[in-house]
Amino acid sequence: MRELFAYVPYSVPLEKRLDVVNLALNCGFELYRERESDARFSFRLALGDARTGESGFDACGVPYVRGEIGGVLGLLRRLARRPGLLFGLMLSLALYFLLTGMVWEVRITSGSDIDEDTVLSELAEAGLYEGARLKTLDPDTLVSNFLLIDEEIAFASVHLNGTVAEVELIAKSRGEEPTPVPPPCNIVAARDAVVTDMTVFTGKQVVKPGQTVAAGDLLVSGVISDVGGTRFLPAAACVMGQVEDTLTAEVPLRTTGTYVTSTRPVSLSLTIFGHTLTFGDPSRAKCESGHRLYLWNTVRLPVYVSVGLSCETETREVTRSEEEAHRLAELELERKLDAALAGGTLLSSESVEEVSDGIYLRRMRVIYETNIAKSLAFETEEQ
């Protein structure tokens, strides 16, 4: 232990090794880390034995080479000669003990959909937030305060895992809301089509499969008249119809576009433990780039950096090739076809294209089968 606190390294000729060992036995001091290399004998003496050992070496005529003091005392002496390094070490230790005593991250887990921003603000009101001192946090008190604030939560638990506060939430189960009774309605055709199949759930069927209907024609009536009188029902049915349609996409071969020519930072926001410092003028920023800092890409730090950028733009005229216009028209037709099908089945399609007056025009004639049923409510007083 004395050697670890402070020691002095020595080196003597190898032939004087026996003299050094005998001197240590006679004077009562101990040799540490004895080594032989390059005709030299190296060893260490505790700092308290160094003066006695050197006096004995001089008396016995043993030439020696003394090194610098090592151990804890030697480290402190070397640090004292570098005040900047000593200050940095002390500052690092202070920051370590300060920051490891704070909450770096509040991590929320829940089996149901919750508004995390709302929950974080409620937890902060209860006393749990990034930057809160760990010694001042009592999980039971935090849970009690939070449950008083958020009445939608049935169960909550807080676990302090190092600098991470893990919060588990279970929301209250809500009873099934009563299904609202739909108003009386008819089923009409949403578009011109040939009816291919019908499944009526409620109401009176008016048309049959194979019949051609126009948009707005009555398919299923919600008015039922029988011996019991007249009843008004919310008609419901699935009416499949074969539809013929023409989809069009126009793409100009010449157009103007806005392009970003340069960007430069105009503001910097640094958020540490929920406190934000802003430099520059964020109002001049056109876009923002931000990221959370991590230590070794694994430990999430309570630091978020956001940079506001201003953009210089210019308007340019662009000339498209027919190949590019063709691709754009294909994408537009696919989007329109998906909207028209609405889950139906495409039966056939054929396309034509032409270029006229700087416009690339593509038409697609399609035949598809889809549900053409559309609910149309009515007022019972008018019946």
Side-chain angles (χ1 to χ4, degrees):
M1 184 62 69
R2 295 173 60 204
E3 178 212 6
L4 294 177
F5 177 72
Y7 66 84
V8 180
Y10 291 93
S11 175
V12 301
L14 186 58
E15 60 269 15
K16 296 295 183 177
R17 179 182 184 278
L18 185 58
D19 295 338
V20 173
V21 173
N22 290 332
L23 181 62
L25 293 175
N26 293 333
C27 296
F29 57 80
E30 187 176 354
L31 304 178
Y32 301 96
R33 298 289 183 92
E34 302 177 46
R35 294 179 181 176
E36 298 180 5
S37 62
D38 298 333
R40 303 288 294 179
F41 174 59
S42 304
F43 57 93
R44 294 177 181 178
L45 292 180
L47 182 61
D49 298 331
R51 181 172 297 180
T52 303
E54 291 178 5
S55 299
F57 299 155
D58 293 336
C60 296
V62 177
Y64 64 88
V65 177
R66 172 176 174 158
E68 292 187 0
I69 298 177
V72 177
L73 181 60
L75 176 61
L76 293 177
R77 291 183 63 185
R78 288 192 293 272
L79 289 177
R81 291 196 289 265
R82 296 178 174 86
L85 180 60
L86 179 61
F87 175 77
L89 178 61
M90 295 178 63
L91 180 61
S92 299
L93 291 175
L95 289 175
Y96 173 79
F97 288 111
L98 175 65
L99 297 181
T100 53
M102 294 183 176
V103 176
W104 286 22
E105 178 184 2
V106 179
R107 188 176 299 164
I108 300 173
T109 57
S110 175
S112 57
D113 293 334
I114 60 173
D115 187 344
E116 187 168 329
D117 293 334
T118 301
V119 172
L120 287 175
S121 64
E122 293 172 345
L123 287 171
E125 185 179 350
L128 179 59
Y129 51 89
E130 289 186 356
R133 302 293 301 175
L134 292 172
K135 291 183 178 180
T136 63
L137 299 180
D138 178 42
D140 295 334
T141 303
L142 290 173
V143 170
S144 300
N145 294 339
F146 174 73
L147 291 179
L148 291 175
I149 297 172
D150 194 336
E151 299 180 354
E152 298 296 324
I153 301 299
F155 171 82
S157 65
V158 176
H159 303 281
L160 301 178
N161 185 11
T163 58
V164 178
E166 298 179 349
V167 182
E168 182 181 356
L169 304 176
I170 298 179
K172 293 182 180 179
S173 58
R174 300 178 179 177
E176 294 185 1
E177 297 182 358
T179 304
V181 178
C185 64
N186 295 323
I187 300 297
V188 299
R191 61 192 72 187
D192 299 346
V194 177
V195 178
T196 58
D197 186 36
M198 293 186 67
T199 302
V200 179
F201 304 106
T202 58
K204 180 181 178 181
Q205 181 175 336
V206 176
V207 298
K208 297 180 180 180
Q211 187 173 341
T212 301
V213 296
D217 285 353
L218 181 63
L219 304 179
V220 179
S221 175
V223 181
I224 305 297
S225 298
D226 51 24
V227 294
T230 301
R231 293 175 294 154
F232 305 102
L233 304 175
C238 176
V239 183
M240 302 300 294
Q242 181 175 306
V243 181
E244 182 177 339
D245 201 356
T246 301
L247 307 178
T248 304
E250 295 183 359
V251 179
L253 296 180
R254 287 184 155 232
T255 184
T256 56
T258 302
Y259 297 86
V260 177
T261 57
S262 64
T263 60
R264 63 186 183 90
V266 294
S267 66
L268 173 66
S269 296
L270 182 64
T271 303
I272 303 176
F273 290 114
H275 302 283
T276 302
L277 297 175
T278 302
F279 307 92
D281 186 5
S283 62
R284 297 171 54 197
K286 300 297 184 181
C287 58
E288 185 177 288
S289 174
H291 61 279
R292 175 77 64 172
L293 297 186
Y294 287 82
L295 185 62
W296 301 306
N297 292 328
T298 55
V299 181
R300 178 183 180 272
L301 299 178
V303 180
Y304 183 82
V305 180
S306 176
V307 179
L309 302 173
S310 68
C311 304
E312 299 292 336
T313 61
E314 67 176 16
T315 302
R316 302 175 185 170
E317 186 177 87
V318 179
T319 301
R320 295 190 178 103
S321 64
E322 291 192 13
E323 291 78 8
E324 183 180 1
H326 174 80
R327 290 194 299 269
L328 294 175
E330 285 288 338
L331 293 174
E332 178 66 14
L333 288 178
E334 287 180 8
R335 184 187 64 80
K336 290 184 176 181
L337 181 59
D338 289 340
L341 288 177
T345 304
L346 179 64
L347 301 178
S348 65
S349 66
E350 58 181 16
S351 302
V352 294
E353 58 185 10
E354 62 176 305
V355 178
S356 176
D357 297 330
I359 301 294
Y360 178 88
L361 179 63
R362 187 173 180 85
R363 293 188 179 90
M364 176 184 289
R365 180 177 174 273
V366 292
I367 299 176
Y368 55 93
E369 186 180 43
T370 188
N371 186 6
I372 62 172
K374 176 183 176 182
S375 298
L376 182 63
F378 57 82
E379 296 291 338
T380 58
E381 290 80 6
E382 298 178 358
Q383 298 297 323

